[in-house]
Amino acid sequence: MTISKSATGSFTIDMTPAPTDLPGAARFDFTKQWSGELEGTGQGYMFSAGNPAAGRAGYVAQEVFEGRIDGRSGTLIFHQLGQMVSGSASQRYEIAPGSGTSELEGITGTLSVEVVDGQHRVTLSYAIG
């Protein structure tokens, strides 16, 4: 039986520049603290390129989330893709297929992020089945 749900929460992020040998790219390691119906920690890395000051840039990232979603505990991996074109930003978060463990085994879904007054608010639309 598949269970389709949504969970809301927020996160804070701490990013640290990391070395890379890729010309024109920047690399960052990051940690997140998640709260709300998504509660736990995240660790990951991000590669970015472009010129954010000119309104043109993009990034890819992967993050391992460890914690609880609506009371279910385990880990999963988020894939992230973001871009800025003419100053307009967009992001896409997806749960990597097959990455859920323990009570999150079989989870699929997408995460939307809204930044309000500097706070990252999220809604995870997901299914477990």
Side-chain angles (χ1 to χ4, degrees):
M1 177 178 172
T2 299
I3 301 169
S4 295
K5 296 185 80 174
S6 67
T8 60
S10 62
F11 66 79
T12 58
I13 186 168
D14 182 32
M15 294 185 20
T16 305
T20 181
D21 292 332
L22 300 173
R27 178 176 170 223
F28 299 89
D29 294 331
F30 63 85
T31 58
K32 287 183 182 172
Q33 286 299 129
W34 295 81
S35 59
E37 294 171 320
L38 293 94
E39 182 178 12
T41 59
Q43 294 184 51
Y45 59 88
M46 177 176 77
F47 286 99
S48 65
N51 187 344
R56 298 180 309 274
Y59 79 90
V60 295
Q62 284 200 312
E63 173 184 354
V64 177
F65 168 88
E66 181 175 5
R68 299 175 71 79
I69 298 174
D70 280 338
R72 294 174 177 259
S73 63
T75 63
L76 59 80
I77 296 176
F78 286 114
H79 293 299
Q80 302 170 38
L81 174 66
Q83 65 179 17
M84 183 188 321
V85 178
S86 299
S88 179
S90 65
Q91 292 180 312
R92 181 165 176 86
Y93 277 64
E94 293 183 0
I95 296 172
S99 68
T101 67
S102 297
E103 295 174 311
L104 299 177
E105 186 174 347
I107 192 169
T108 60
T110 59
L111 183 90
S112 62
V113 179
E114 181 182 24
V115 180
V116 178
D117 296 328
Q119 183 179 17
H120 294 84
R121 297 182 184 171
V122 300
T123 301
L124 176 65
S125 300
Y126 70 98
I128 296 181

